[in-house]
Amino acid sequence: QVQLVESGGGSVQAGGSLRLSCLVSGLRVRNHITGWFRQAPGKGREGVAAIDGAKVTAIADSVKGRFTISQDNAKNTLYLQMNSLKPEDTAMYYCAADKAAGAVAAPWYLKYENNYWGQGTQVTVSS
C-alpha cells in the first residue's frame, strides 16, 4: 500500500520561507517521478515542481527561482523548499508520486493526474 504523508506547512508572512516534507512508503522514490501540487480556494490544482530518480527537475514558472525540489533516496522523502513566499502561494500543498515507474521528470508531469496523493498540508502567506 502506497502512502504519502506531508508535513511542514504553516502560516508565514510574505518574504518568509517554509520547507515541506513528504515521507513516502510503499514505493521507492528513486524509481518514480514525485512532485508537489497545490490548490488554492476556488482554483484548480496546479503542478509546482517535480523530480525523478536521476534528480532531473521540472519547476513551474510561477515559482521558478523561489522554490526548490529535492529528494533523499535513503529516507524515501521528498522536500519542497519555499523561499520569498507571496500571498498568492497560499494553498493546500499535495505530495504526489507517479503510479508508473521509470519516467523522466519534465514539464508534462506538472499537469499529470495519474498519481498517488498525500492528504495535503496547508500553507498560508500573509501580506
Side-chain angles (χ1 to χ4, degrees):
Q1 181 180 359
V2 177
Q3 286 190 310
L4 295 85
V5 180
E6 303 98 334
S7 61
S11 296
V12 65
Q13 290 197 324
S17 298
L18 284 173
R19 188 194 195 204
L20 306 183
S21 299
C22 175
L23 177 61
V24 181
S25 59
L27 63 79
R28 302 301 301 177
V29 296
R30 71 180 68 190
N31 295 328
H32 295 255
I33 298 175
T34 54
W36 293 93
F37 293 71
R38 67 186 181 184
Q39 187 164 19
K43 295 189 176 182
R45 186 153 52 195
E46 174 191 19
V48 175
I51 188 169
D52 65 23
K55 307 295 176 73
V56 175
T57 62
I59 308 293
D61 288 343
S62 59
V63 304
K64 199 165 289 183
R66 300 188 297 121
F67 290 13
T68 303
I69 188 170
S70 62
Q71 68 181 38
D72 185 326
N73 290 340
K75 295 181 178 179
N76 221 40
T77 299
L78 180 68
Y79 302 98
L80 185 68
Q81 178 66 44
M82 306 185 294
N83 298 329
S84 302
L85 282 160
K86 304 176 180 180
E88 51 262 44
D89 295 319
T90 295
M92 185 72 78
Y93 283 71
Y94 298 91
C95 175
D98 189 354
K99 290 184 177 179
V104 175
W108 62 264
Y109 184 73
L110 302 181
K111 299 184 185 297
Y112 193 65
E113 291 287 327
N114 191 27
N115 295 307
Y116 297 106
W117 296 96
Q119 293 296 313
T121 185
Q122 178 67 38
V123 171
T124 302
V125 185
S126 58
S127 56

